[in-house]
Amino acid sequence: RPVDERAADREDGQVRVITGAIAHETSTFTPVATTWENYRERFGYLRGEEMLTAFHGSNSPIGGFIEGAEAHGFELIPTVFGQPQPSGPTPREIFDEILGELLERTAAAGRIDGVLLELHGSMVAEGIDDGEGHILTAVREQVGSEVPILVQLDIHSNISPLMVEMADVLIGRETYPEVDMAARGRECTDVLARIWSEGLRPTMALHRIPMIWGMNQVTAHPPMREAIEYLHRIEARPGIICGSIATGYSLADVPDMGSSVYVVADGDRGLAQTCADELGEWIFARKEVWQVEMPSTRKALEQSERDGRFPVIFADRNDNTGGGSPGDSTGMLKAFLEAGVQDACVLYIVDPEAITRCEEAGVGGMLELDVGGKSSPMQGEPCRMRVEVKALSDGRFFYDGPMYAGLQGNMGPSAHVQQEGVHVLLVSRREQPFCTAFSRTLGLEPPQMKYIGVKSAAHFRAGFEEWAGGIHLVGEPSVHSGERVAYRNLGRKLYPFDEI
């Protein structure tokens, strides 16, 4: 209906908007199970007003929703927030319970004029390959066909046709590292405001690129920067509301896995499709440039010595806990120890068992310790180390880098240990280093190190790249190593697996 007719239904003149988050990046290859504890341990499983209190003023999608609601005078009605660390598929009973609570709180809210959701874009639950499509279908059935549904997504989304059908507007992040979370949340609210004030008629189109995007996707640098600039030129065209590039999440063995472009136009599906196809074909024509080689840490160490630019960072994509890995592979640590490097650190190794022994020894204690390699034989053998316990903590800290600024993190019981020139931060909970705040709570200043190993693909750059002399993306043996990942459910040809 015309916007003025819908506005007439609002007796108090205020737009009432539901918000919530069920956001999980799901690896179908990791041995790390997803449990209720996973949903509670990161930022907490939050209900109602707890969400607004926790995320107000933060660099997060919900923070952006709150900022936009305040600016536009929306009444924001919070439902539930659940965002565990990337891990395996969510058990169906947990998924159904969280979605059920979101729907119950939506129903209890009464009249709804809009929906703002934070979803990831690559969620898998037991028996459900397309978690977001399932969630959006349920929400659409709940609120009806006339209520606009707008969704903020991760850049690493596997976009399905069902997601495009069920939502009015999908908006993906445009940065990697993803430092624009609040900005994209705010953009969702701005588009919703235009729907009500200008009568926008969002019409969305999807172009699925037959490609698995490699790790050459850091948006501050070429060639990814050119792709984002092209996207922005398309968004500036008359009739276009917004557009997004999804590089995809390759560790989900599901039919919709892959890269895509999705564009929203004002009432013109043909225009939206033409623009999505144009950018998607431009990206695929350059399919080789998005791929990148990942040498071993040992080889990257040799190259860094030739380059002579320090401090140098080695980023292990394969054991990136932000991609669902266990976080206890030992390849990088062994390379540092065997090379005899000085002023070196590894951030982080997940090993609650080793931390318990450090706590027993106390700060200043010396002990023989088997570090890492406990979650799976594919993560490598444990490293036997003779360490001094430099510091212990409960793992609580506040992010102070661009990502998640203002939010509290919790690594669980943690320890800083040192063997000769190599420092290791041991943690109980899986997280990648977005900034140096947590390291400093344990007396370690990464910028003062010469060699820095991180379990991360790119998000570490948000807090590390500014002062790094050199950065090397490396690949160590892990459950997510390419030779150990076997796909069975893709159902279509994708480059570089197939010649296209």
Side-chain angles (χ1 to χ4, degrees), residues 20-101:
I22 306 176
H24 187 228
E25 186 176 66
T26 307
S27 167
T28 59
F29 300 103
T30 184
V32 180
T34 301
T35 65
W36 259 120
E37 178 59 25
N38 299 133
Y39 275 88
R40 297 185 179 109
E41 68 183 4
R42 194 179 192 192
F43 300 125
Y45 181 71
L46 306 176
R47 295 177 169 92
E49 293 295 322
E50 294 175 332
M51 292 173 53
L52 306 187
T53 301
F55 292 104
H56 189 279
S58 68
N59 185 10
S60 65
I62 300 295
F65 294 163
I66 296 169
E67 175 190 335
E70 292 175 345
H72 295 296
F74 297 161
E75 179 185 354
L76 199 60
I77 305 166
T79 56
V80 297
F81 175 91
Q83 187 189 80
Q85 282 288 359
S87 50
T90 296
R92 185 61 181 269
E93 61 270 22
I94 296 177
F95 179 83
D96 288 345
E97 183 173 343
I98 296 172
L99 177 57
E101 184 169 5

Side-chain angles (χ1 to χ4, degrees), residues 350-372:
V350 180
D351 195 335
E353 179 182 317
I355 292 165
T356 297
R357 293 208 53 217
C358 291
E359 291 173 334
E360 292 170 351
V363 175
M366 299 290 299
L367 71 158
E368 297 282 341
L369 200 61
D370 288 328
V371 174

Side-chain angles (χ1 to χ4, degrees), residues 467-487:
W467 47 263
I471 294 175
H472 295 269
L473 186 65
V474 302
E476 292 293 339
S478 165
V479 298
H480 284 160
S481 300
E483 67 274 10
R484 294 168 176 170
V485 175
Y487 295 91

Side-chain angles (χ1 to χ4, degrees), residues 102-339:
L102 185 151
L103 296 173
E104 288 171 7
R105 288 177 175 269
T106 299
R111 192 198 80 238
I112 298 300
D113 301 312
V115 177
L116 294 168
L117 295 176
E118 176 193 350
L119 305 178
H120 185 280
S122 64
M123 184 177 194
V124 179
E126 290 179 349
I128 301 175
D129 287 340
D130 179 9
E132 285 79 10
H134 188 97
I135 292 167
L136 289 170
T137 299
V139 173
R140 176 59 72 196
E141 291 175 351
Q142 177 83 42
V143 303
S145 60
E146 294 186 358
V147 174
I149 299 176
L150 296 89
V151 184
Q152 206 291 290
L153 296 169
D154 195 283
I155 196 172
H156 301 107
S157 293
N158 297 322
I159 306 296
S160 70
L162 183 60
M163 292 167 63
V164 173
E165 178 185 355
M166 290 295 112
D168 292 275
V169 179
L170 303 174
I171 295 180
R173 294 168 205 159
E174 298 179 357
T175 60
Y176 186 48
E178 295 172 55
V179 297
D180 63 337
M181 289 182 283
R184 298 285 76 75
R186 173 63 191 266
E187 183 180 358
C188 288
T189 68
D190 293 345
V191 173
L192 180 58
R194 293 182 63 199
I195 291 173
W196 283 106
S197 65
E198 302 174 19
L200 283 185
R201 299 164 298 153
T203 307
M204 190 157 43
L206 172 67
H207 179 94
R208 303 174 78 191
I209 306 170
M211 179 182 80
I212 297 174
W213 208 299
M215 292 310 301
N216 203 358
Q217 50 182 286
V218 176
T219 54
H221 306 302
M224 192 67 192
R225 184 171 64 198
E226 281 77 12
I228 299 299
E229 289 171 349
Y230 199 146
L231 171 67
H232 289 167
R233 291 195 296 272
I234 286 176
E235 289 183 306
R237 294 176 182 175
I240 297 299
I241 298 172
C242 58
S244 303
I245 296 171
T247 59
Y249 175 67
S250 63
L251 295 171
D253 183 17
V254 296
D256 293 309
M257 190 274 278
S259 312
S260 61
V261 174
Y262 47 104
V263 175
V264 183
D266 184 10
D268 191 338
R269 187 177 301 277
L271 174 63
Q273 192 66 63
T274 297
C275 290
D277 292 345
E278 176 187 332
L279 180 52
E281 290 166 3
W282 182 90
I283 289 169
F284 188 67
R286 292 155 178 76
K287 58 184 181 294
E288 294 88 357
V289 306
W290 313 118
Q291 312 301 316
V292 63
E293 293 294 325
M294 295 185 295
S296 67
T297 306
R298 180 182 60 81
K299 289 184 178 179
L301 271 168
E302 294 171 355
Q303 182 62 50
S304 71
E305 294 300 325
R306 291 192 291 269
D307 294 341
R309 296 191 295 270
F310 300 98
V312 60
I313 299 173
F314 306 90
D316 183 5
R317 177 265 184 186
N318 288 346
D319 199 35
N320 172 22
T321 55
S325 290
D328 70 341
S329 76
T330 54
M332 178 179 288
L333 176 57
K334 286 180 178 177
F336 279 9
L337 294 172
E338 290 172 358

Side-chain angles (χ1 to χ4, degrees), residues 6-29:
R6 296 199 304 265
D9 295 337
R10 306 197 309 274
E11 296 178 1
D12 58 5
Q14 188 170 42
V15 176
R16 306 182 77 245
V17 181
I18 284 288
T19 189
I22 306 176
H24 187 228
E25 186 176 66
T26 307
S27 167
T28 59
F29 300 103

